Amino acid sequence: MTERLTHETIGETLVLDTRGLSCPEPVLATKAMLSRMHSGKIIVLLDSPAARDNVMRVARNAGWQVTCTSDTHEFRLEISREAR
Amino acid sequence: MMERKGIVLAGVVVGLLGAALALLGNPVNMGICVICFLRDTAGALGLHRAAAVQYIRPEIPGFVLGAFVSALLLKELRPRGGSSPAIRFLIATLVSISALVFLGCPLRMVLRLAAGDLNALWGLAGFVAGVFLGVVFLRNGYSLGRSHALAAPNRVIALLLALALLLLLVAKPPFIFSSSTGPGSMRAAVAVSLFAGLLAGFVAQRTRLCTMGGVRDLILIRDYHLISGFAALFGVALGVNIMSGAFNLGFANQPVAHQDALYNLLGMAGADLGSAMLGGCPLRQFILAGEGDQDALITVFGLFFGASAAHNFGLAASASGVPLAGKAAAVAIILVLSAMAYAFGSGAEISAKKSSQEVQAG
C-alpha cells in the first residue's frame, strides 16, 4: 500500500486518495506518508469533513502547510513543506 | 485555537447535561448512556421482556435530530454507505452486549467515574485496553473498506426514524411498553430529555466529539484534540456531582453497577475494541447517522439489536452481578471481534498515484 509508493515522489506530486475511508484511516495514511518525507508536497483527497479536519490538524501540528479546496462534498488538501 | 475551544465546550455541554439529567429524573449516574437508552427504547418497543428497562428515551431521537440540524446548517448532510454494512451490524451487536456486561457505554463510564463509582475504574482500564487493541489492528491495516455516495433520500432516513420514535412516545399506543419500576421508570421530563439530546447531538456533530476517539487518537497519532473534550466532560460532571452532593466515592452500593472487576474490565474492553473497529463510540454513530451516513445507521440498528439480545439471551449484567452466560459472552466477544479485525486486516487498498498535473477532487 502506501509504503511502496512513498519512494516515488521526487519531482512529482503524490496524490493520496482516501475518499470513502472512515476515520482514522485517512489521517493514518497521510501521517505514514508525511513521516517518510522531510519536505515536498502531497495532495490528499477526502470526502468527510471530520477526516479533513483531522488530517489538517495533524499535518499542521507536524509543521506542514496545508491548503484546502472543496468541491461540495469532496476536499482536496495540498500539504507541503519547504526543504530546510 | 477555535477548534480546541469547540471540542472543550462540547465536552463541557455533554458533561453538564449528563450530570444534570440524573438530577432531573434520569437514573442516578445514568444521565446519558447511549446503550442503556437504546436498551430501554428496545424494551418499550417490545423487543425484549425486561420489565424494569422499557421506555422510549427522548434523548435517542434527540441525538439524531440535533446532529441533523447541525449538519444541515453546516451543509454536511452526506448520504453515504456501503462499507461492509452487515459486518458493521454484527460488530455493533457485540458492542452493545459487551457494554451491557459492564453496564454502560463509554460515556456512562465517564459519568460513573465522575460520580465516584470506582467500579468504573476497571471499565476505564478495559476501555484503554480495548482501544489499544483496536489501534494495533488499525496500524496493521484493518479497514472495512470504502463507502460511497448514495441517493439523496438516504440523508433523511435516520431523521424520519427519530421522528417516528417521538411520535410513538407522545401518542403512547397500547403496544408500547413502559416501566413502572426500575431504571426505566426514572426519567426526566420528555421536553427536558429531548432538548438535552438535541443539544448533545448538535454540539457533538459540530465538534466530532467521540469518547473512544479521544483515547484512540492519543495512542495512534499523539493527537490531544478529542481527549481534551473527554477530559472536559469528566471535569464538569465531577464538579456538578460534588456541588450537588451526588458524588459518592466507593465500590459498594453504586447505582446500576456491579462490583465484578474482571467483567467490568472485559465488558468495556470488548465494547471499545468494537467501537474502534467501527470508527466511533455509540454516540458518534448516532451523530454520523444523523448526517446521512447509512453505515452508521446500520451500526445503530446493530446496537439496538444487541441491546435487545443482551436481555433476551440473559447476557446483560445487573446490580446483582454478571450472569454466567454474560461472562462467557464477554470473553467470546473479544475473541470474535479480534478474529473479525484480523480477517479485515487489509480491507481497503489506499490508492496513491503520482501526478505532475493538477488533480481535481472528484
Short mmCIF file of all heavy atoms in Angstrom, two decimals, chain B residues 38 50 55 77 94 117 128 130 149 188 191 196 204 212 219-220 338-339 356:
data_model
loop_
_atom_site.label_atom_id
_atom_site.label_comp_id
_atom_site.label_asym_id
_atom_site.label_seq_id
_atom_site.Cartn_x
_atom_site.Cartn_y
_atom_site.Cartn_z
N LEU B 38 -30.76 2.95 24.48
CA LEU B 38 -31.19 2.10 23.37
C LEU B 38 -31.89 0.86 23.92
O LEU B 38 -32.90 0.41 23.39
CB LEU B 38 -29.97 1.64 22.56
CG LEU B 38 -29.57 2.49 21.38
CD1 LEU B 38 -28.28 1.96 20.78
CD2 LEU B 38 -30.66 2.47 20.33
N ALA B 50 -37.46 -7.44 29.61
CA ALA B 50 -37.00 -6.99 30.93
C ALA B 50 -37.85 -5.79 31.36
O ALA B 50 -37.65 -4.67 30.88
CB ALA B 50 -35.52 -6.62 30.87
N TYR B 55 -38.66 2.06 28.07
CA TYR B 55 -39.08 3.45 27.94
C TYR B 55 -38.44 4.04 26.69
O TYR B 55 -37.23 3.86 26.49
CB TYR B 55 -38.66 4.26 29.18
CG TYR B 55 -38.88 5.75 29.09
CD1 TYR B 55 -40.12 6.27 28.72
CD2 TYR B 55 -37.86 6.65 29.37
CE1 TYR B 55 -40.33 7.64 28.63
CE2 TYR B 55 -38.06 8.02 29.30
CZ TYR B 55 -39.29 8.51 28.92
OH TYR B 55 -39.50 9.86 28.83
N LEU B 77 -24.72 17.39 5.38
CA LEU B 77 -25.57 16.21 5.21
C LEU B 77 -25.02 15.40 4.05
O LEU B 77 -24.96 15.90 2.92
CB LEU B 77 -27.01 16.63 4.92
CG LEU B 77 -27.87 17.02 6.10
CD1 LEU B 77 -29.26 17.37 5.63
CD2 LEU B 77 -27.93 15.92 7.14
N LEU B 94 -22.29 -6.88 19.01
CA LEU B 94 -21.36 -7.34 20.05
C LEU B 94 -20.96 -6.19 20.98
O LEU B 94 -20.77 -6.39 22.18
CB LEU B 94 -20.13 -7.98 19.39
CG LEU B 94 -20.43 -9.19 18.49
CD1 LEU B 94 -19.15 -9.74 17.86
CD2 LEU B 94 -21.13 -10.30 19.28
N ASP B 117 -18.12 6.37 41.28
CA ASP B 117 -18.26 4.91 41.17
C ASP B 117 -16.91 4.31 40.74
O ASP B 117 -16.55 4.35 39.57
CB ASP B 117 -19.36 4.58 40.15
CG ASP B 117 -19.52 3.08 39.93
OD1 ASP B 117 -18.70 2.29 40.46
OD2 ASP B 117 -20.47 2.70 39.22
N VAL B 128 -9.31 1.54 27.80
CA VAL B 128 -7.99 1.83 27.22
C VAL B 128 -7.43 0.58 26.54
O VAL B 128 -6.91 0.64 25.42
CB VAL B 128 -7.02 2.36 28.30
CG1 VAL B 128 -5.62 2.52 27.73
CG2 VAL B 128 -7.52 3.69 28.86
N GLY B 130 -9.10 -1.97 25.29
CA GLY B 130 -9.88 -2.27 24.09
C GLY B 130 -9.48 -1.37 22.94
O GLY B 130 -9.29 -1.82 21.80
N ALA B 149 -20.98 7.53 -2.17
CA ALA B 149 -22.12 8.45 -2.13
C ALA B 149 -23.38 7.69 -2.51
O ALA B 149 -23.34 6.82 -3.39
CB ALA B 149 -21.87 9.60 -3.10
N ALA B 188 -36.30 12.03 33.29
CA ALA B 188 -36.51 13.48 33.29
C ALA B 188 -37.74 13.74 32.41
O ALA B 188 -38.18 12.86 31.68
CB ALA B 188 -35.28 14.17 32.72
N ALA B 191 -39.72 16.82 27.53
CA ALA B 191 -39.19 18.00 26.84
C ALA B 191 -37.73 18.24 27.24
O ALA B 191 -36.89 18.60 26.41
CB ALA B 191 -40.04 19.22 27.15
N ALA B 196 -32.14 18.04 25.78
CA ALA B 196 -30.77 17.65 26.14
C ALA B 196 -30.15 16.80 25.03
O ALA B 196 -28.99 17.00 24.65
CB ALA B 196 -30.77 16.88 27.46
N ALA B 204 -22.07 17.68 19.45
CA ALA B 204 -21.21 16.55 19.10
C ALA B 204 -21.00 16.50 17.58
O ALA B 204 -19.94 16.09 17.11
CB ALA B 204 -21.81 15.24 19.60
N MET B 212 -14.37 7.22 22.49
CA MET B 212 -13.36 6.26 22.06
C MET B 212 -12.27 6.96 21.25
O MET B 212 -11.08 6.69 21.42
CB MET B 212 -14.05 5.17 21.23
CG MET B 212 -13.18 4.06 20.71
SD MET B 212 -12.19 4.48 19.27
CE MET B 212 -13.46 4.92 18.08
N ILE B 219 -3.29 7.51 21.39
CA ILE B 219 -2.37 6.38 21.22
C ILE B 219 -1.84 6.33 19.78
O ILE B 219 -0.66 6.14 19.55
CB ILE B 219 -3.08 5.04 21.53
CG1 ILE B 219 -3.63 5.01 22.96
CG2 ILE B 219 -2.12 3.86 21.33
CD1 ILE B 219 -4.49 3.79 23.27
N LEU B 220 -2.74 6.52 18.84
CA LEU B 220 -2.41 6.25 17.44
C LEU B 220 -1.59 7.36 16.79
O LEU B 220 -0.62 7.10 16.08
CB LEU B 220 -3.73 6.07 16.67
CG LEU B 220 -3.68 5.53 15.26
CD1 LEU B 220 -3.07 4.14 15.23
CD2 LEU B 220 -5.09 5.47 14.67
N SER B 338 -11.67 -9.80 17.62
CA SER B 338 -10.27 -9.86 17.21
C SER B 338 -10.14 -10.65 15.91
O SER B 338 -9.39 -10.27 15.00
CB SER B 338 -9.39 -10.49 18.29
OG SER B 338 -9.46 -9.72 19.47
N ALA B 339 -10.89 -11.75 15.83
CA ALA B 339 -10.85 -12.57 14.61
C ALA B 339 -11.38 -11.77 13.42
O ALA B 339 -10.83 -11.82 12.32
CB ALA B 339 -11.66 -13.85 14.81
N SER B 356 1.97 14.78 -12.23
CA SER B 356 2.63 16.07 -12.40
C SER B 356 1.61 17.10 -12.85
O SER B 356 1.89 18.27 -12.96
CB SER B 356 3.77 15.95 -13.42
OG SER B 356 3.25 15.35 -14.59
#
